[in-house]
Amino acid sequence: MKFMKTGLVLASALLMSCAGADDDDGVEATIRKNVEPKLGDNVKIDSIRATPYGGLYEIRIGNEIRYTDKTGTYLFAGHVFNLKTREDVTQARIDDISRIKFSELPLELALKTVKGNGKRVIAIFEDPNCGYCKKFRRDTLAKVDNVTVYTFMYNILSPDSTVKSRNVWCAADRNRAWDDWMLAGKVPAAAPAGCTAPNDQVLALGNKLGLQGTPAIFFADGSRIPGAIDAAALEEKFAAIK
């Protein structure tokens, strides 16, 4: 595994430090006072907690992780690696705080396709004008069987995305209209007058989940993968889900 130089240096420095976490109740207040104003207008720290990494404190802002010292003087932006296990502990923490309750997704707002026995389940947020989404469907989903796919049409790239998604949603066969467009470039027919699509609800949902790009893939255990992956990586992920 190749580490970023900055991440490796940071991890090495942390492992050589023997400083323990400070239990002073005033540390959080001090960090919030000294760091939060420097983060930008209207940026709020969601949580602060001590880490076992050389006396650093974790700062969580949404699904982003930063680190600081107990005085809030220094801010570290980067990933911490455990050099013994070679684990990216920052990414593990991001994965944990990004986890959702899959059962709470409003699946009625999504397209549903079933391949094979459909036992494995994923939800994908895709923009109809997203090239990586089209590649994911063509090069990955087409090679995977026994899966149920819920597709949320998440329109973030252009006003035309909203139009295309509405046309797909209002088609007689939504799944076919979506595949025709995403796989073959066949433009969906214009939606009939009066037909509405859940574009606004899906957009609000994606914002709530902190999605900034497409595709975004969610699994039954609540974990997510941002971006397109190949079929082998998807199968590996399925195998890892308990």
Side-chain angles (χ1 to χ4, degrees):
M1 179 185 296
K2 295 182 180 179
F3 299 126
M4 291 177 59
K5 183 177 180 180
T6 54
L8 192 59
V9 171
L10 176 58
S12 300
L14 295 178
L15 289 173
M16 290 187 292
S17 174
C18 296
D22 194 328
D23 294 328
D24 185 357
D25 292 338
V27 170
E28 179 176 341
T30 297
I31 291 174
R32 196 174 296 276
K33 176 184 177 181
N34 292 337
V35 175
E36 197 169 65
K38 308 295 194 306
L39 297 176
D41 295 339
N42 301 317
V43 177
K44 299 296 182 182
I45 295 174
D46 292 309
S47 67
I48 299 169
R49 72 173 194 170
T51 77
Y53 318 131
L56 285 184
Y57 285 78
E58 173 196 288
I59 296 174
R60 182 176 68 84
I61 307 166
N63 290 335
E64 296 184 6
I65 297 295
R66 300 289 185 268
Y67 301 98
T68 189
D69 63 297
K70 68 179 182 179
T71 67
T73 302
Y74 301 97
L75 186 68
F76 300 88
H79 284 219
V80 176
F81 295 91
N82 184 322
L83 296 183
K84 292 183 178 180
T85 64
R86 304 182 74 82
E87 179 190 15
D88 184 338
V89 294
T90 302
Q91 188 59 54
R93 175 65 175 146
I94 292 173
D95 291 343
D96 182 55
I97 64 177
S98 300
R99 197 174 296 273
I100 67 167
K101 289 186 178 181
F102 194 93
S103 60
E104 295 183 355
L105 287 175
L107 300 179
E108 70 277 6
L109 304 181
L111 308 178
K112 179 183 178 180
T113 57
V114 179
K115 296 181 65 178
N117 61 32
K119 289 184 177 180
R120 304 183 298 182
V121 182
I122 58 174
I124 310 173
F125 285 73
E126 297 181 314
D127 185 294
N129 289 315
C130 167
Y132 288 110
C133 300
K134 296 175 181 178
K135 178 177 175 60
F136 177 72
R137 287 194 165 264
R138 181 180 65 249
D139 297 343
T140 300
L141 286 186
K143 300 176 182 178
V144 175
D145 200 8
N146 298 326
V147 61
T148 296
V149 180
Y150 292 95
T151 302
F152 290 89
M153 294 181 285
Y154 186 49
N155 309 304
I156 58 174
L157 294 182
S158 73
D160 176 66
S161 298
T162 300
V163 175
K164 285 190 173 74
S165 291
R166 177 174 177 267
N167 291 342
V168 168
W169 186 264
C170 295
D173 187 336
R174 295 168 178 169
N175 291 322
R176 180 173 181 177
W178 184 250
D179 284 344
D180 281 349
W181 167 246
M182 298 297 281
L183 300 177
K186 182 179 178 181
V187 178
C195 179
T196 59
N199 292 340
D200 291 341
Q201 295 98 309
V202 174
L203 185 61
L205 174 63
N207 289 334
K208 180 181 178 181
L209 296 175
L211 303 185
Q212 298 180 343
T214 54
I217 312 164
F218 289 86
F219 296 84
D221 66 348
S223 61
R224 71 175 77 185
I225 292 179
I229 57 176
D230 61 25
L234 183 58
E235 290 289 357
E236 182 178 354
K237 175 63 178 177
F238 278 135
I241 296 175
K242 305 301 182 181

Short mmCIF file of all heavy atoms in Angstrom, two decimals, residues 1 14 19-20 23 29 51 62 74 76 81 83 118 140 145 151 186 189 195 197 207-209 213 219-220 233:
data_model
loop_
_atom_site.label_atom_id
_atom_site.label_comp_id
_atom_site.label_asym_id
_atom_site.label_seq_id
_atom_site.Cartn_x
_atom_site.Cartn_y
_atom_site.Cartn_z
N MET A 1 0.85 -1.19 0.00
CA MET A 1 0.00 0.00 0.00
C MET A 1 0.88 1.24 0.00
O MET A 1 1.87 1.31 0.72
CB MET A 1 -0.88 0.00 1.26
CG MET A 1 -1.77 1.22 1.36
SD MET A 1 -2.68 1.23 2.93
CE MET A 1 -3.68 -0.23 2.75
N LEU A 14 3.04 10.64 15.45
CA LEU A 14 2.06 10.31 16.49
C LEU A 14 2.47 9.07 17.25
O LEU A 14 2.32 8.98 18.46
CB LEU A 14 0.69 10.11 15.86
CG LEU A 14 0.09 11.34 15.21
CD1 LEU A 14 -1.25 10.98 14.58
CD2 LEU A 14 -0.10 12.46 16.21
N ALA A 19 2.45 11.15 24.80
CA ALA A 19 1.52 12.02 25.52
C ALA A 19 0.15 11.39 25.57
O ALA A 19 -0.34 10.84 24.59
CB ALA A 19 1.43 13.38 24.83
N GLY A 20 -0.50 11.44 26.73
CA GLY A 20 -1.82 10.85 26.89
C GLY A 20 -2.90 11.88 26.64
O GLY A 20 -2.65 13.08 26.57
N ASP A 23 -8.04 14.80 30.12
CA ASP A 23 -9.43 14.63 30.50
C ASP A 23 -10.08 15.92 30.98
O ASP A 23 -11.22 15.90 31.44
CB ASP A 23 -9.55 13.56 31.59
CG ASP A 23 -9.14 12.19 31.10
OD1 ASP A 23 -9.36 11.93 29.90
OD2 ASP A 23 -8.60 11.41 31.89
N ALA A 29 -14.09 23.09 25.27
CA ALA A 29 -14.47 24.50 25.16
C ALA A 29 -13.34 25.33 24.58
O ALA A 29 -13.56 26.23 23.75
CB ALA A 29 -14.87 25.04 26.53
N THR A 51 -8.36 11.41 21.03
CA THR A 51 -7.96 10.21 20.29
C THR A 51 -6.77 9.58 21.02
O THR A 51 -6.13 10.23 21.86
CB THR A 51 -7.53 10.55 18.85
OG1 THR A 51 -6.21 11.10 18.88
CG2 THR A 51 -8.49 11.54 18.21
N GLY A 62 -19.58 17.66 10.06
CA GLY A 62 -20.35 16.82 9.15
C GLY A 62 -19.70 15.45 9.07
O GLY A 62 -19.49 14.79 10.08
N TYR A 74 -3.01 24.20 16.70
CA TYR A 74 -2.65 23.60 15.43
C TYR A 74 -3.82 22.79 14.87
O TYR A 74 -4.57 22.19 15.62
CB TYR A 74 -1.43 22.67 15.59
CG TYR A 74 -0.22 23.38 16.12
CD1 TYR A 74 0.08 23.34 17.49
CD2 TYR A 74 0.62 24.10 15.28
CE1 TYR A 74 1.19 24.01 17.99
CE2 TYR A 74 1.72 24.77 15.77
CZ TYR A 74 2.01 24.72 17.13
OH TYR A 74 3.10 25.37 17.62
N PHE A 76 -4.67 19.82 11.95
CA PHE A 76 -4.12 18.83 11.04
C PHE A 76 -5.22 18.36 10.09
O PHE A 76 -6.26 17.88 10.53
CB PHE A 76 -3.58 17.63 11.81
CG PHE A 76 -2.48 17.97 12.78
CD1 PHE A 76 -2.79 18.36 14.08
CD2 PHE A 76 -1.16 17.92 12.41
CE1 PHE A 76 -1.79 18.69 14.99
CE2 PHE A 76 -0.16 18.24 13.30
CZ PHE A 76 -0.47 18.63 14.59
N PHE A 81 -2.49 6.99 9.77
CA PHE A 81 -2.33 5.56 9.48
C PHE A 81 -1.69 4.86 10.67
O PHE A 81 -0.78 5.40 11.31
CB PHE A 81 -1.45 5.35 8.25
CG PHE A 81 -2.04 5.88 6.98
CD1 PHE A 81 -1.77 7.18 6.55
CD2 PHE A 81 -2.86 5.09 6.19
CE1 PHE A 81 -2.31 7.68 5.37
CE2 PHE A 81 -3.40 5.57 5.01
CZ PHE A 81 -3.14 6.87 4.60
N LEU A 83 0.81 2.31 11.53
CA LEU A 83 1.90 1.71 10.78
C LEU A 83 2.06 0.22 11.06
O LEU A 83 2.65 -0.50 10.26
CB LEU A 83 3.21 2.43 11.11
CG LEU A 83 3.27 3.91 10.67
CD1 LEU A 83 4.63 4.48 10.98
CD2 LEU A 83 2.95 4.07 9.20
N GLY A 118 -31.88 -11.45 -6.27
CA GLY A 118 -32.04 -10.13 -5.66
C GLY A 118 -31.69 -10.05 -4.19
O GLY A 118 -32.02 -9.06 -3.53
N THR A 140 -19.89 -2.32 -14.42
CA THR A 140 -19.96 -3.00 -13.13
C THR A 140 -21.30 -3.70 -12.92
O THR A 140 -21.35 -4.93 -12.80
CB THR A 140 -19.73 -2.01 -11.97
OG1 THR A 140 -18.43 -1.42 -12.11
CG2 THR A 140 -19.80 -2.71 -10.63
N ASP A 145 -24.67 -10.22 -10.57
CA ASP A 145 -25.98 -10.88 -10.53
C ASP A 145 -26.46 -10.99 -9.09
O ASP A 145 -25.74 -10.69 -8.14
CB ASP A 145 -25.87 -12.27 -11.16
CG ASP A 145 -27.23 -12.82 -11.61
OD1 ASP A 145 -28.22 -12.05 -11.57
OD2 ASP A 145 -27.29 -13.99 -12.01
N THR A 151 -32.35 2.89 -7.39
CA THR A 151 -31.68 4.04 -8.00
C THR A 151 -32.42 5.33 -7.68
O THR A 151 -33.57 5.51 -8.06
CB THR A 151 -31.59 3.89 -9.53
OG1 THR A 151 -30.90 2.69 -9.85
CG2 THR A 151 -30.87 5.08 -10.14
N LYS A 186 -30.32 6.89 -25.39
CA LYS A 186 -31.63 7.18 -25.97
C LYS A 186 -32.38 8.14 -25.05
O LYS A 186 -32.71 7.80 -23.91
CB LYS A 186 -32.43 5.90 -26.14
CG LYS A 186 -33.79 6.10 -26.77
CD LYS A 186 -34.53 4.79 -26.93
CE LYS A 186 -35.93 4.99 -27.51
NZ LYS A 186 -36.66 3.70 -27.64
N ALA A 189 -38.63 10.08 -23.58
CA ALA A 189 -39.71 10.92 -24.11
C ALA A 189 -40.14 11.94 -23.06
O ALA A 189 -40.02 11.71 -21.85
CB ALA A 189 -40.89 10.04 -24.51
N CYS A 195 -47.64 15.24 -14.81
CA CYS A 195 -46.90 14.18 -14.12
C CYS A 195 -45.79 14.81 -13.27
O CYS A 195 -45.05 15.69 -13.73
CB CYS A 195 -46.28 13.21 -15.12
SG CYS A 195 -45.32 11.88 -14.33
N ALA A 197 -42.46 14.24 -10.48
CA ALA A 197 -41.42 13.31 -10.07
C ALA A 197 -40.88 13.75 -8.71
O ALA A 197 -40.96 14.94 -8.35
CB ALA A 197 -40.30 13.30 -11.11
N ASN A 207 -28.79 15.78 0.07
CA ASN A 207 -28.16 16.83 0.88
C ASN A 207 -28.05 16.41 2.34
O ASN A 207 -27.04 16.65 3.01
CB ASN A 207 -28.94 18.13 0.75
CG ASN A 207 -28.79 18.77 -0.61
OD1 ASN A 207 -27.79 18.57 -1.30
ND2 ASN A 207 -29.78 19.55 -1.03
N LYS A 208 -29.11 15.78 2.84
CA LYS A 208 -29.11 15.31 4.22
C LYS A 208 -28.03 14.27 4.46
O LYS A 208 -27.40 14.23 5.53
CB LYS A 208 -30.49 14.72 4.56
CG LYS A 208 -30.60 14.19 5.98
CD LYS A 208 -31.98 13.61 6.23
CE LYS A 208 -32.10 13.04 7.63
NZ LYS A 208 -33.45 12.44 7.86
N LEU A 209 -27.79 13.45 3.46
CA LEU A 209 -26.76 12.40 3.56
C LEU A 209 -25.36 12.92 3.26
O LEU A 209 -24.39 12.17 3.34
CB LEU A 209 -27.10 11.25 2.60
CG LEU A 209 -28.40 10.50 2.88
CD1 LEU A 209 -28.68 9.48 1.79
CD2 LEU A 209 -28.34 9.81 4.24
N GLY A 213 -21.34 14.23 -4.79
CA GLY A 213 -21.04 13.75 -6.13
C GLY A 213 -21.78 12.46 -6.41
O GLY A 213 -22.38 11.85 -5.52
N PHE A 219 -24.92 0.40 1.00
CA PHE A 219 -25.10 -1.04 1.17
C PHE A 219 -26.04 -1.33 2.34
O PHE A 219 -26.32 -0.46 3.16
CB PHE A 219 -23.75 -1.72 1.36
CG PHE A 219 -22.86 -1.59 0.17
CD1 PHE A 219 -22.08 -0.44 0.00
CD2 PHE A 219 -22.81 -2.58 -0.80
CE1 PHE A 219 -21.27 -0.30 -1.12
CE2 PHE A 219 -21.99 -2.44 -1.91
CZ PHE A 219 -21.23 -1.31 -2.08
N ALA A 220 -26.49 -2.58 2.42
CA ALA A 220 -27.49 -2.96 3.40
C ALA A 220 -27.02 -2.74 4.84
O ALA A 220 -27.85 -2.55 5.74
CB ALA A 220 -27.90 -4.41 3.20
N ALA A 233 -14.38 -5.17 -7.13
CA ALA A 233 -14.45 -4.42 -5.87
C ALA A 233 -15.84 -4.49 -5.27
O ALA A 233 -16.01 -4.58 -4.04
CB ALA A 233 -14.04 -2.98 -6.10
#
